[in-house]
């Protein structure tokens, strides 16, 4: 099956969707699977479903599917909770691995929730830890022997700038620190090889390029040679080695099971598991090549026809993920005008118009049509209307 495969997605008629980097569209197979889980498994099996439908095994089973997108071996990824929780788990475990060091290093382009979780963990531990932030380009030179953990997002959420995971992980290890990679904008967008990189931890969400739906569960990876020594800070019931023994004291489970916390979200995991079927028969190398082609076309056309916009994503396609961002003083209003015309991207403060390129359901004619509409909106100042100026809660 070739790219794109629009027929597998439920996309509104007349919409060009350039926001799969924020929320993937729904694959057509998902509603039937959710109905099956609700009507046959939940309604029909009741509590028996934990065994008869293997709900308990979902986090590991779906984790193995996700592992294939990030170059991780089976048994090294588990699902559940939110990305913020997975960041907390990975960072707290990393700090325990280097107890004599007190610096968490990250960059100013990191997604804010990762930094917020680090701040919260530092306050909770109250043990002299410091969150040190540097410009993305200066991360390598800032890694020294005071650093316990380096926490980075591989693809910048705002600009799409892409860190060199392999080179930076080598630098982190050379300094004796622990690496944590956030793959929220990588999984399903770019080729990732965690085994080759050798990083200790990776986390990510599944509602973007993996099309798991709003609120889809996050994932956490732990390098297999470390997993049986990692100490979970969030020692939940289902991370216990024998949850149904109901022991009063916590004992971590074997392998990646110890990174589970509470009851798995069966409906959400079922939606994600079904959604992953749209990837069957396609490789990440094919997706990456198509993504680069689409984004290069978009950049070329926008720069030629929309001089008001300034490219802020890296010009070199190999240095960015699967999104392209342009700065525009009136970016919010222009994006709302675009959305009103059926071209959906999104906006990031203070002035960033962000466009995602997901080759599973996009092709070149979509990109060219989107630029036609963008050019018209800018040339006619169609964005300069009161209805496009009012900020919604979600931008």
């Amino acid at each position: 099956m070739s790219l794109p495969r629009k027929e597998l997605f439920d996309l509104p008629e007349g919409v060009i969707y350039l926001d799969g980097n924020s929320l993937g569209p729904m694959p057509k197979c998902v509603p039937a699977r959710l109905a099956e889980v609700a009507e046959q498994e939940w309604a029909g099996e009741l509590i028996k479903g934990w065994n008869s439908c293997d709900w308990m095994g979902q986090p590991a089973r779906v984790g193995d599917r996700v592992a294939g997108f990030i170059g991780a071996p089976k048994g090294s990824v588990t699902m559940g909770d939110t990305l913020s929780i997975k960041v907390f788990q990975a960072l707290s475990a990393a700090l325990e691995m280097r107890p004599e060091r007190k610096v968490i290093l990250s960059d100013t382009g990191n997604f804010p929730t990762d930094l917020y979780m680090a701040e919260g963990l530092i306050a909770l531990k109250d043990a002299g830890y410091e969150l040190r932030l540097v410009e993305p380009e200066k991360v390598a030179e800032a890694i020294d022997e005071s650093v316990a953990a380096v926490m980075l997002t591989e693809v910048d959420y705002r600009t799409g700038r892409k860190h060199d995971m392999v080179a930076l992980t080598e630098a982190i290890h050379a300094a004796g620190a622990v690496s944590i990679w956030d793959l929220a904008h990588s999984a399903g967008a770019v080729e990732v090889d965690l085994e080759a990189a050798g990083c200790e931890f990776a986390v990510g969400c599944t509602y973007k390029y993996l099309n798991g739906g709003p609120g889809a569960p996050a994932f956490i990876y732990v390098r297999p040679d470390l997993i049986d020594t990692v100490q979970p800070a969030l020692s939940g019931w289902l991370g216990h080695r024998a949850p149904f023994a109901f022991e009063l004291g916590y004992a971590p489970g074997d392998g990646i099971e110890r990174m589970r916390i509470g009851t798995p979200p069966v409906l959400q995991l079922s939606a994600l598991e079904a959604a992953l079927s749209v990837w069957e028969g396609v490789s990440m190398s094919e997706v990456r090549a198509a993504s680069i082609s689409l984004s290069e076309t978009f950049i070329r056309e926008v720069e030629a026809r929309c001089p008001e916009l300034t490219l802020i994503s890296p010009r070199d396609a190999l240095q960015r993920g699967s999104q392209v961002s342009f700065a525009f003083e009136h970016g919010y209003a222009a994006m709302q005008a675009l959305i009103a015309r059926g071209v959906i991207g999104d906006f990031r403060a203070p002035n960033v118009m962000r466009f995602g390129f997901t080759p599973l359901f996009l092709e070149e004619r979509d990109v060219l049509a989107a630029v036609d509409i963008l050019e018209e909106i800018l040339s006619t100042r169609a964005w300069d209307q009161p209805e496009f100026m009012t900020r919604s809660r979600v931008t």
Side-chain angles (χ1 to χ4, degrees):
M1 189 179 294
S2 61
L3 294 173
R5 38 185 67 180
K6 290 184 179 182
E7 71 279 1
L8 300 182
F9 291 88
D10 195 347
L11 287 162
E13 187 70 30
V15 167
I16 301 172
Y17 194 58
L18 303 180
D19 208 14
N21 56 303
S22 191
L23 176 65
M26 186 179 70
K28 289 180 179 177
C29 61
V30 168
R33 176 57 183 148
L34 284 175
E36 180 182 36
V37 174
E39 296 168 5
Q40 297 180 30
E41 296 184 7
W42 180 11
E45 293 296 291
L46 298 172
I47 200 168
K48 294 183 298 179
W50 288 107
N51 292 314
S52 62
C53 304
D54 196 26
W55 294 341
M56 192 61 75
Q58 271 190 318
R61 184 173 69 248
V62 180
D64 283 344
R65 295 279 298 278
V66 171
F69 291 91
I70 57 177
K74 288 188 174 181
S76 64
V77 176
T78 192
M79 311 296 302
D81 319 299
T82 66
L83 179 51
S84 297
I85 296 298
K86 294 307 176 195
V87 168
F88 187 95
Q89 281 187 286
L91 183 56
S92 60
L95 296 183
E96 289 297 315
M97 293 168 63
R98 300 293 185 272
E100 74 285 359
R101 300 186 180 198
K102 298 297 181 181
V103 174
I104 301 166
L105 178 66
S106 191
D107 69 61
T108 54
N110 206 349
F111 194 71
T113 193
D114 293 23
L115 306 181
Y116 302 160
M117 296 306 289
E119 290 174 352
L121 179 59
I122 287 171
L124 184 65
K125 292 180 79 69
D126 192 21
Y129 284 94
E130 168 196 347
L131 175 60
R132 185 178 298 167
L133 302 180
V134 298
E135 294 298 314
E137 299 77 15
K138 297 182 178 179
V139 169
E141 63 190 72
I143 303 169
D144 59 30
E145 294 184 358
S146 70
V147 175
V150 181
M151 180 180 65
L152 300 169
T153 297
E154 185 187 22
V155 175
D156 186 291
Y157 77 101
R158 187 179 281 118
T159 68
R161 174 203 38 78
K162 183 173 178 290
H163 276 306
D164 186 333
M165 180 188 291
V166 172
L168 282 173
T169 301
E170 288 179 358
I172 293 165
H173 290 167
V178 178
S179 58
I180 304 165
W181 286 97
D182 184 335
L183 305 179
H185 288 270
S186 301
V190 300
E191 294 175 273
V192 180
D193 192 342
L194 294 181
E195 264 195 299
C199 61
E200 286 86 350
F201 299 94
V203 296
C205 57
T206 61
Y207 48 78
K208 301 180 190 294
Y209 296 99
L210 297 182
N211 310 300
F219 63 83
I220 186 168
Y221 159 86
V222 182
R223 205 172 71 200
D225 63 306
L226 299 173
I227 185 57
D228 285 322
T229 62
V230 165
Q231 296 302 310
L234 298 175
S235 46
W237 176 43
L238 291 184
H240 193 280
R241 66 183 176 190
F244 287 92
F246 299 108
E247 297 171 359
L248 297 182
Y250 180 78
D254 294 329
I256 197 66
E257 289 286 298
R258 68 180 55 200
M259 303 309 281
R260 293 176 63 166
I261 302 174
T263 305
V266 171
L267 294 175
Q268 290 177 314
L269 279 169
S270 298
L272 171 61
E273 191 169 17
L276 293 177
S277 67
V278 301
W279 290 88
E280 291 174 5
V282 64
S283 68
M284 279 309 305
S285 61
E286 291 175 284
V287 170
R288 179 63 168 155
S291 165
I292 289 174
S293 177
L294 293 172
S295 60
E296 290 287 279
T297 297
F298 186 76
I299 291 171
R300 182 183 66 248
E301 294 294 321
V302 169
E303 291 194 318
R305 296 157 58 183
C306 307
E308 303 94 328
L309 303 188
T310 301
L311 180 69
I312 61 171
S313 297
R315 192 166 295 279
D316 183 350
L318 299 181
Q319 295 181 14
R320 67 174 185 263
S322 198
Q323 67 185 65
V324 173
S325 297
F326 284 89
F328 178 48
E329 180 183 0
H330 306 287
Y332 181 82
M335 184 57 74
Q336 302 316 301
L338 264 177
I339 293 171
R341 291 285 303 275
V343 178
I344 301 180
D346 64 18
F347 172 83
R348 290 294 177 262
N351 62 353
V352 178
M353 299 179 71
R354 194 174 70 155
F355 304 89
F357 297 90
T358 45
L360 291 185
F361 55 84
L362 288 174
E363 53 192 323
E364 186 176 75
R365 65 180 179 180
D366 298 318
V367 172
L368 295 174
V371 179
D372 287 341
I373 296 170
L374 176 60
E375 180 184 23
E376 181 185 351
I377 285 172
L378 294 174
S379 64
T380 63
R381 291 181 63 91
W383 54 265
D384 193 8
Q385 302 294 328
E387 63 265 32
F388 299 139
M389 303 291 184
T390 303
R391 298 283 178 110
S392 298
R393 185 173 181 180
V394 177
T395 62

